[in-house]
Amino acid sequence: MIFPSEISGYPVTSINESFSFNNNQPIKSIVFNGPETIENESFVYLYDLEKLTFKENVKTIGMNMFSECPVLKEVILSDSVVEIESSAFSFCQELERVELSDNLKSIGSNAFMSTHKIKGLEFPNSLETIGEYAFNSSGSTCAVFGKNIKEIGSTTVGFTGYSGCNYTDVRIPEFKVYGYVGTDAQRYAEENGFEFIDITDSKPEIVDEGFD
C-alpha cells in the first residue's frame, strides 16, 4: 500500500482516526510519501504488516499509530520526521530494525515499549527529549545518545518490565550508556547505576545492527 503526497493536485495533509486501517486488514507493507501528520491509532492491530517506509513529507507519527502490529519487523523513517508520539510502535514484538530520522527531536513515552528484539539503540544528534518507558523491555543492551539530548524520562532504557500492568521494573545491570559529558545521558546513567562511556572524542562503532 502506498500513500501519495497529493491526490488530483491537492496535497494530502493528514490521515485522521476516522480513516482507519486497523482490525486485521491483510496489509504487509506500507509506503508513505505523505501526509505531514498521521493521527492516533490509524493503523493499530495490522496483524500481517511487516514493513513500514516513510519516504517524504511525514513530520509527526501519532499516538498508538502502529501499536500491536505483531509481525512488524522493519521501520524506516525519512529525515522529514521530527516527532514520534507516545506508544506509536509499542508491543510490536518482532520489530528488529528501526532507521531513525536525522532530524528527529522527540520520542514520546512508551513509543517502542515491549518490542523485545532491538538489541542496540543509537539516537541521532538532533534528539532532544525521550519520554518515560520509551524503550522499556525493548531488548536493548546499550544506548548511544547525541550531544543535544536534554531530557530522558524514567526507565526509558536499561529496564525490562513496566508499571501499571502487573509488571515490575527490573534494571539490566550490564546495560551501557554512551553519551557526552554534561548531557542528560550522563545524568541518567549515574542515577540508574549504569556504566557511562564518554564519546566526546570518539563515537563507538557499535551498537548493533538494526537501530540507527
Side-chain angles (χ1 to χ4, degrees), residues 13-28:
T13 58
S14 69
I15 297 173
N16 62 35
E17 294 174 69
S18 63
F19 193 63
S20 175
F21 290 84
N22 56 22
N23 297 323
N24 199 24
Q25 296 192 41
I27 301 170
K28 288 196 171 184

Side-chain angles (χ1 to χ4, degrees), residues 5 20 46 79-80 110 113-114 127 130 144-145 150 156 173 184 197 201-202 205:
S5 57
S20 175
L46 288 178
D79 287 343
S80 64
N110 310 318
M113 183 178 71
S114 290
L127 188 67
I130 179 168
V144 180
F145 290 96
K150 295 179 173 63
T156 294
D184 207 47
I197 301 168
D201 296 325
S202 62
E205 273 184 27

Side-chain angles (χ1 to χ4, degrees), residues 11-100:
V12 178
T13 58
S14 69
I15 297 173
N16 62 35
E17 294 174 69
S18 63
F19 193 63
S20 175
F21 290 84
N22 56 22
N23 297 323
N24 199 24
Q25 296 192 41
I27 301 170
K28 288 196 171 184
S29 176
I30 301 176
V31 177
F32 292 94
N33 291 318
E36 290 187 2
T37 301
I38 304 169
E39 295 186 6
N40 306 347
E41 302 182 6
S42 298
F43 298 88
V44 295
Y45 307 123
L46 288 178
Y47 295 141
D48 296 304
L49 184 64
E50 297 178 358
K51 183 176 180 179
L52 289 169
T53 304
F54 297 81
K55 285 195 171 180
E56 56 183 90
N57 297 323
V58 177
K59 294 182 179 180
T60 301
I61 299 174
M63 182 175 64
N64 292 318
M65 182 178 146
F66 289 99
S67 180
E68 299 193 53
C69 293
V71 298
L72 179 62
K73 295 181 178 180
E74 184 174 6
V75 175
I76 300 173
L77 304 181
S78 74
D79 287 343
S80 64
V81 176
V82 296
E83 180 181 18
I84 300 172
E85 293 187 350
S86 62
S87 302
F89 299 98
S90 61
F91 298 99
C92 294
Q93 297 187 4
E94 294 298 314
L95 187 59
E96 298 175 338
R97 172 169 167 72
V98 180
E99 185 175 322
L100 293 180

Side-chain angles (χ1 to χ4, degrees), residues 185-204:
Q186 183 178 16
R187 188 274 310 166
Y188 182 87
E190 292 174 352
E191 286 187 3
N192 290 289
F194 298 129
E195 180 181 359
F196 176 74
I197 301 168
D198 179 22
I199 59 172
T200 301
D201 296 325
S202 62
K203 189 174 181 180

